[in-house]
């Protein structure tokens, strides 16, 4: 068992000291991040392989693009603080499920579910949790399919299972989420305008969702007429 250093800090107190404490976790932290990078690579490759196979079968690509990201130290500290867990490398690994993130941008809504099903069928991938924010959008209007998956990585001396958060969404959902995210981080929105802005963002999300449905209907009509 590896020795881990635990760093505690008062809730809400995210000072430079805390950031430097994370740096002090040093090698152990960097090693954990390298495991997460490897796990992201595994998942990314699995989706790329599915895309190639799908293209061969149906003559179109269900995946537009794939993005990967490691949660930043700042974001890790903030989340640990929010859930009230002391900062240690061990806790980062065991208490957080979204340190490694893979975002799969799909062409059509049905591609999202097809890809998620295909991934779930693979015998070295375990789906630990599914959050369907397409069928049940968040109050903000946010839509995506989230999966927490566990995947093995093969190191020189051992096999480790790592968790990765997979977000599947259409181009349109991604367009909305990216812009809404940017707007949300603009802190200077006066309170009296915030509610109206939130209402307009929900309206945009609904428009985007209708457009996605229409594009799917059009694709199906074209497929039908080509038979
Ligand atoms: P970042 O920068 O993307 O990492 P959990 O405790 O993890 O189960 P949590 O954290 O609320 O609960 O998870 P959830 O609801 O599955 O959403 C996590 C991620 O989904 C967020 O990551 C965003 O990427 C995305 N997301 C969720 N809601 C919204 C939203 O209203 N708007 C946008 N634009 N994105 C959203 P992080 O950690 O917030 O940030």
């Amino acid at each position: 068992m590896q020795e881990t250093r635990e760093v505690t800090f008062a809730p809400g107190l995210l000072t430079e000291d805390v950031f430097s404490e994370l740096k002090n976790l040093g090698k152990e932290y960097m090693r954990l991040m390298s495991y997460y990078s490897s796990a992201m690579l595994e998942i990314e490759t699995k989706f790329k392989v599915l895309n190639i196979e799908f293209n061969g079968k149906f003559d179109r690509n269900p995946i537009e693009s794939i993005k990967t990201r490691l949660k930043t130290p700042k974001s890790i500290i903030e989340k640990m603080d929010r859930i009230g867990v002391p900062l240690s490398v061990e806790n980062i690994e065991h208490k957080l499920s979204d340190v490694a993130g893979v975002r799969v941008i799909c062409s059509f809504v049905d591609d999202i579910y097809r890809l998620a099903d295909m991934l779930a069928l693979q015998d070295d991938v375990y789906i630990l949790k599914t959050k369907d924010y397409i069928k049940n959008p968040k109050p903000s209007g946010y839509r995506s399919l989230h999966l927490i998956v566990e995947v093995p990585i093969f190191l020189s001396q051992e096999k480790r299972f790592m968790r990765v958060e997979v977000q599947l969404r259409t181009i349109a959902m991604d367009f909305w989420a990216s812009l809404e995210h940017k707007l949300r981080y603009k802190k200077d929105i006066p309170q009296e305008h915030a509610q109206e802005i939130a209402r307009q963002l929900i309206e945009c999300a609904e428009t985007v969702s209708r457009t996605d449905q229409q594009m799917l209907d059009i694709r199906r009509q074209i497929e039908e007429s080509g038979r």
Side-chain angles (χ1 to χ4, degrees):
M1 186 76 175
Q2 266 171 8
E3 198 189 312
T4 56
R5 243 166 64 72
E6 221 173 57
V7 182
T8 51
F9 53 93
L13 196 69
L14 298 175
T15 60
E16 280 306 311
D17 291 352
V18 176
F19 294 111
S20 61
E21 286 294 352
L22 190 60
K23 267 196 218 140
N24 291 341
L25 297 176
K27 261 193 181 164
E28 246 187 288
Y29 176 78
M30 296 310 286
R31 192 181 309 125
L32 180 65
M33 292 303 125
S34 75
Y35 295 159
Y36 279 122
S37 296
S38 307
M40 286 193 304
L41 197 60
E42 289 282 348
I43 295 293
E44 186 182 8
T45 304
K46 283 177 180 296
F47 279 112
K48 284 185 172 169
V49 170
L50 289 174
N51 201 35
I52 292 169
E53 192 206 357
F54 193 103
N55 185 290
K57 271 190 183 165
F58 303 107
D59 205 24
R60 69 176 187 87
N61 290 323
I63 298 176
E64 288 289 328
S65 61
I66 304 177
K67 297 170 193 164
T68 58
R69 74 103 183 84
L70 266 185
K71 219 172 176 60
T72 61
K74 179 175 183 284
S75 188
I76 288 175
I77 291 171
E78 282 170 353
K79 186 143 192 184
M80 301 285 275
D81 185 29
R82 200 166 66 239
I83 63 176
V85 173
L87 189 64
S88 70
V89 172
E90 213 173 1
N91 281 345
I92 293 171
E93 183 171 6
H94 294 118
K95 305 289 182 192
L96 301 186
S97 299
D98 62 345
V99 175
V102 176
R103 187 169 289 158
V104 184
I105 315 295
C106 300
S107 311
F108 298 96
V109 180
D110 63 343
D111 291 331
I112 291 176
Y113 291 102
R114 200 176 280 163
L115 286 165
D117 288 346
M118 286 170 164
L119 187 73
L121 281 174
Q122 302 194 2
D123 60 13
D124 59 348
V125 178
Y126 304 95
I127 310 288
L128 303 180
K129 198 171 181 183
T130 301
K131 289 194 211 166
D132 191 341
Y133 296 129
I134 298 173
K135 292 202 170 83
N136 304 297
K138 285 203 150 190
S140 61
Y142 176 79
R143 285 165 171 80
S144 285
L145 180 67
H146 288 194
L147 310 173
I148 303 295
V149 306
E150 198 168 54
V151 68
I153 56 164
F154 295 87
L155 305 164
S156 57
Q157 308 283 338
E158 59 171 330
K159 171 181 169 184
R160 280 183 83 103
F161 285 89
M162 304 301 298
R163 274 179 289 166
V164 177
E165 182 186 72
V166 180
Q167 298 183 347
L168 296 118
R169 54 175 75 151
T170 61
I171 308 165
M173 292 171 194
D174 189 52
F175 153 78
W176 182 93
S178 305
L179 295 187
E180 189 264 359
H181 187 263
K182 275 183 201 162
L183 293 170
R184 214 154 33 97
Y185 283 93
K186 285 223 174 280
K187 298 264 193 287
D188 50 1
I189 304 170
Q191 193 56 40
E192 65 269 26
H193 294 157
Q195 224 176 341
E196 171 55 17
I197 285 167
R199 190 197 62 75
Q200 288 183 44
L201 281 167
I202 293 169
E203 203 176 285
C204 285
E206 281 160 6
T207 306
V208 156
S209 172
R210 275 195 302 277
T211 306
D212 260 338
Q213 189 53 49
Q214 239 176 331
M215 293 304 269
L216 179 58
D217 291 345
I218 294 168
R219 194 201 79 211
R220 284 179 172 154
Q221 284 174 50
I222 293 171
E223 284 168 355
E224 287 294 314
S225 66
R227 278 188 191 154

